[in-house]
Each structure stands twice: as structure tokens, then as C-alpha cells.
Amino acid sequence: MELTLHFLFNLSLLIVLLFFSLIWTENTKKVQSAGIFYCFSSLLICYGFSYPLTDHILLNLRNIPFVIGSLYIGISPYLGLVAIIIRAFFGIDLGFWITVSFYAIFSLMFWKLHPWFLEKSRKQRILIAIGFMYIVGIYQILPLNFALEGYPILDVNLAFLLIQPLGVGMIAYFLEEFDKFIIYRQQLITIERQEVVEKMGAAISHEIRNPLTAASGFVQLLHSDSLSPESRLQYLAIVRSELKSAERVIQDYLTIPKMKADGEDTIYINDALNNVIQMLIPSAQKNSIEIIANFSNESIVIGDSQKFHQCLVNIMKNGIESMPYGGTLTVETDATATNVIITIQDTGTGMTEEQLDRLGEPYYSTKGDQGTGLGTMVVFSVIRSMNGNIHVDSSLGEGTTFELVFRSSLAEDCLSINEIKKSNMVHN
């Protein structure tokens, strides 16, 4: 059984080389190059571990890479030529001419069968490769059975008719599974890209709907004949502001990976909250929701006013939507020497601990199919980019509380907030 053990060791080297080649293919995406490298490297390994049965007969597993490369890649003439050249270095003898005749016949045959082989199913290709390996093995051992006397014929037959087909079957199976893995991965990437596009489209629609709904509501109010000129101008200003918000939302989602508050605007917290509340009053009244505002002294923070406005809209609108049968939305502020705290509390359906833990994950929504999972993600991203902290407390059936904490920005020369406003009005 010495030859069989020698072939098993040689086969283990071919399988190890195969795995390195597959890793190379995975990293470089050069399937053809990796396959050619594997076949020619395997030929060299097989000849390097040849078993000298006699002075003129060298036995090895060179036909395994020959069959694999011929059927799967279609390079049988090149593999046959290289095998003949390598064999010539061992001597131009009877064994060399047998090698020449063998590869002349089978190189031409496999070259013609390559296109037909690739048209078969995965299972059929594996079985065909094993079958051809049996044919090649029988072609080799028939003359050996007649020519060898005093040698372990059983060992030779076992090595050629068991180890070689086993090796081809294993390598063909690994190649087919790797090919299937690549196809499945490409399909998965395509599906994920389609889902991202669909979700992004839904997210853009969802975010744009907020300002457009508000603008539409105030446009309807503008049709009232009893509306005072002051209210009409105020409503027109809100409509204009919300249309600009919709435009900014589109720009933001075109660069969603860079979704962060990078502006350096001076944001008056109470004014920002009042603007959002005024915008959401029609939606709140429609759902029988009372909005209670309890603000401390005016405070300012530095950040992107548009994105901050969008965050407040997302939080308050989610609170309103969580109270379909009415309730109370409480908006409070508190200012200390160092911090500004905004608390937004609803009496809605609340969230479970699992939902609370996943809040802010991309595409995760507590609204099921009605949500996109991007609104809250934007809130967390923008608040963090403004060097703020966000804390969420919720209990199922008892409502949800959002607490936003920012570092307070002090005006230069110790001016009061009112003085800053007056100064801005003079400059404007």
C-alpha cells in the first residue's frame, strides 16, 4: 500500500493548494488566472512527488490537474505540453514516449469536450469529471498490469482507480460549491442594493411628506376669507419655510452617508421649538392631541438649524403618530449654566425594551411597513454630530420621552439673548 499512501499525501497537497487558490480568487476576483495558476502549480507538485515504480516508470497524480484544467478551463493543450516538457527532464525513454502519446490523444479529446462539459448541471459535471478520470486511469494501468511482474499490482490499481477519481471528485465538488457561493453572493448583493434603493425612496418620500403636509395644511388655511393679513403673511412664511425644508431634505438624502449637522448657525431653542409646534398643530388637532409647551428662558446652541429643525419634526411627529386616539404632547426646555435640555414627551403606545434597544438602527422602524427606519436614525446622527446626547425612556402603553441635552453656547461680551436678537435685527 506504499503507492496508495504516497498518492494520498500528494492529494492532500493538491487540496491545500486549491484552498489557497480559492482564497486568492476571493481577494482578487481573477477566477481565470487563479485557475490556471492552480493547474500548472499542481502539475509541478505532482511531478515533484513522483513515485519511481521502475527506472523508466514514474507514477504520480498529474492527471488530476490535467482533467480539472481541461474540463473546467479548457487549457488541455497547454497542460499536456507542459506535462510532456516536465517529463522530458526525467529522461527521453519509453515512459516519455508513452506520456507523449497519452497527452496527444487526451488533450485533443478534452479540448473538444470542454464547451459541452460546461453546459451540464453542477452534479453532472462532477460525475463526468470522475468518469473521465476512471477512463484515464484504466488507460494507464492496463499496460502496467501486463508489463509489471513482481510488483504490487493491487496497490497500483487501487491508487489509480480509487485515489485519482476521489481526488477529481473532491476538487470538482469544491469548485462547484465555490462557484455557487459566488453566484449566491452576487444575487444577495443585487437584492440588498434593490432593497436599499426601495427603502431610500420610501425614506425620502417619508421625510418630504412632513414639510409638504404642513405646507398643504397652511395653504388650505390661506383660502379662508376671514383670515387677517398678519396671519396670512405668517402662514405664507411657514409655507415658504417648509418648501425650503423639503428641498433641503432631498439634498441631505442624496448624501445620506454624510448626514451630519455641519452648520455653524446660532439656534434659538425656544424659537425653533415654537416653529415646529406651529407647523404640527393642524396634524395634532386632527388626532385630538393637545400640545403643551413649557419653556424656560431662551437658550442658544450652535449647529445646523435646518437639520436640527428636521430632528425636532421627526421626534414630535412620531409622538403624534403614536397617539392615534388622542393624547398629550409635552415639550419642555430647561437651561443651566452649561447645558440646554429639551424634553419631548407623549402619552402614546410606547415601546418594548427590545424596540428601545434597537432605536436608531438604520431601516429599523417601530411602525412596521408604515415606517422607513431612517427618521430616528437621522435624529441620533444629527444630535451626536452637534455634540449632544439623546436619552429615550419608554414603557409599553405609557408613552415615550425624548431628552436632548446640548452644551449651552454663551454669547460674546456676556450679552443677554434678547440683546443678541436685537443686534441681529439691526444688522438685518
Side-chain angles (χ1 to χ4, degrees):
M1 304 296 289
E2 184 178 351
L3 178 60
T4 301
L5 294 176
H6 187 87
F7 273 21
L8 284 174
F9 174 74
N10 196 345
L11 178 60
S12 65
L13 296 179
L14 298 185
I15 293 177
V16 170
L17 179 62
L18 174 66
F19 279 106
F20 278 109
S21 300
L22 294 180
I23 293 174
W24 180 30
T25 304
E26 176 69 14
N27 293 333
T28 63
K29 312 301 179 185
K30 298 179 179 179
V31 179
Q32 189 80 3
S33 299
I36 293 173
F37 167 80
Y38 173 74
C39 292
F40 285 107
S41 299
S42 297
L43 271 181
L44 293 175
I45 291 175
C46 291
Y47 270 108
F49 288 88
S50 295
Y51 183 86
L53 193 62
T54 67
D55 294 337
H56 304 289
I57 300 176
L58 298 176
L59 303 182
N60 52 53
L61 295 180
R62 64 182 181 273
N63 289 324
I64 291 181
F66 175 72
V67 171
I68 292 295
S70 300
L71 294 177
Y72 279 94
I73 309 178
I75 55 174
S76 57
Y78 304 101
L79 289 172
L81 179 61
V82 170
I84 292 173
I85 293 174
I86 296 175
R87 179 61 182 84
F89 285 99
F90 290 89
I92 308 298
D93 49 23
L94 178 62
F96 170 78
W97 295 112
I98 294 176
T99 301
V100 170
S101 63
F102 170 83
Y103 285 111
I105 296 172
F106 282 97
S107 293
L108 180 62
M109 182 181 71
F110 284 136
W111 183 60
K112 294 291 185 179
L113 291 176
H114 169 66
W116 167 83
F117 174 79
L118 295 181
E119 295 176 354
K120 301 302 179 180
S121 66
R122 299 180 185 279
K123 184 177 180 180
Q124 288 176 335
R125 286 198 292 264
I126 296 175
L127 294 176
I128 290 172
I130 295 174
F132 276 123
M133 193 68 254
Y134 268 112
I135 294 174
V136 171
I138 292 173
Y139 181 89
Q140 286 182 311
I141 66 171
L142 279 179
L144 290 177
N145 287 332
F146 291 103
L148 296 177
E149 294 183 2
Y151 289 94
I153 299 299
L154 179 61
D155 190 15
V156 174
N157 291 335
L158 187 63
F160 276 90
L161 297 182
L162 178 62
I163 305 303
Q164 287 196 142
L166 175 65
V168 166
M170 292 175 63
I171 294 174
Y173 175 79
F174 291 143
L175 292 176
E176 296 292 348
E177 288 299 311
F178 183 75
D179 180 66
K180 184 164 53 174
F181 165 75
I182 292 177
I183 293 175
Y184 285 164
R185 186 180 60 181
Q186 291 174 344
Q187 293 175 347
L188 180 61
I189 291 174
T190 301
I191 292 173
E192 288 179 346
R193 287 176 177 173
Q194 291 174 347
E195 289 180 352
V196 168
V197 171
E198 293 172 358
K199 290 180 178 179
M200 185 63 70
I204 294 174
S205 174
H206 174 76
E207 297 298 332
I208 291 178
R209 190 180 295 116
N210 288 338
L212 291 185
T213 299
S216 176
F218 283 102
V219 168
Q220 293 178 2
L221 293 175
L222 287 170
H223 286 86
S224 176
D225 296 333
S226 60
L227 197 64
S228 65
E230 293 79 7
S231 297
R232 189 177 299 277
L233 291 175
Q234 181 185 2
Y235 290 170
L236 284 173
I238 293 176
V239 170
R240 187 182 302 110
S241 175
E242 294 309 314
L243 291 178
K244 288 184 178 179
S245 296
E247 181 183 0
R248 287 289 298 275
V249 168
I250 295 175
Q251 294 175 353
D252 288 340
Y253 276 98
L254 289 176
T255 56
I256 187 67
K258 301 178 181 179
M259 190 58 155
K260 60 181 181 178
D262 50 5
E264 293 296 333
D265 304 327
T266 299
I267 303 173
Y268 298 93
I269 296 296
N270 292 356
D271 288 349
L273 290 170
N274 273 321
N275 290 337
V276 176
I277 290 173
Q278 290 298 319
M279 185 191 75
L280 295 177
I281 282 178
S283 177
Q285 291 177 344
K286 181 180 178 181
N287 292 339
S288 302
I289 295 171
E290 179 184 7
I291 299 180
I292 299 176
N294 183 16
F295 300 155
S296 65
N297 295 333
E298 181 69 279
S299 303
I300 63 174
V301 295
I302 302 300
D304 190 316
S305 58
Q306 167 61 29
K307 291 188 174 72
F308 183 69
H309 173 84
Q310 184 179 345
C311 289
L312 296 178
V313 170
N314 288 346
I315 295 173
M316 293 189 197
K317 193 170 187 298
N318 285 341
I320 291 173
E321 291 175 351
S322 71
M323 299 180 284
Y325 305 108
T328 303
L329 182 68
T330 304
V331 183
E332 298 179 337
T333 64
D334 186 20
T336 67
T338 56
N339 292 329
V340 178
I341 303 172
I342 303 172
T343 304
I344 303 173
Q345 182 177 16
D346 64 65
T347 57
T349 55
M351 291 179 286
T352 64
E353 290 186 5
E354 180 183 358
Q355 291 173 327
L356 197 60
D357 290 339
R358 298 192 60 186
L359 201 63
E361 289 184 10
Y363 303 119
Y364 175 74
S365 175
T366 60
K367 303 175 186 177
D369 295 337
Q370 297 180 351
T372 63
L374 285 177
T376 310
M377 181 200 74
V378 170
V379 170
F380 277 77
S381 176
V382 173
I383 297 301
R384 282 195 296 264
S385 66
M386 292 176 61
N387 296 320
N389 293 317
I390 181 169
H391 307 284
V392 185
D393 185 22
S394 183
S395 298
L396 199 61
E398 298 181 4
T400 302
T401 301
F402 279 80
E403 185 180 77
L404 313 180
V405 182
F406 302 94
R407 289 190 62 82
S408 177
S409 298
L410 299 179
E412 293 182 0
D413 300 327
C414 299
L415 292 174
S416 66
I417 298 298
N418 290 331
E419 290 174 333
I420 295 174
K421 289 184 177 180
K422 291 178 181 179
S423 177
N424 289 340
M425 291 175 63
V426 170
H427 288 295
N428 292 334

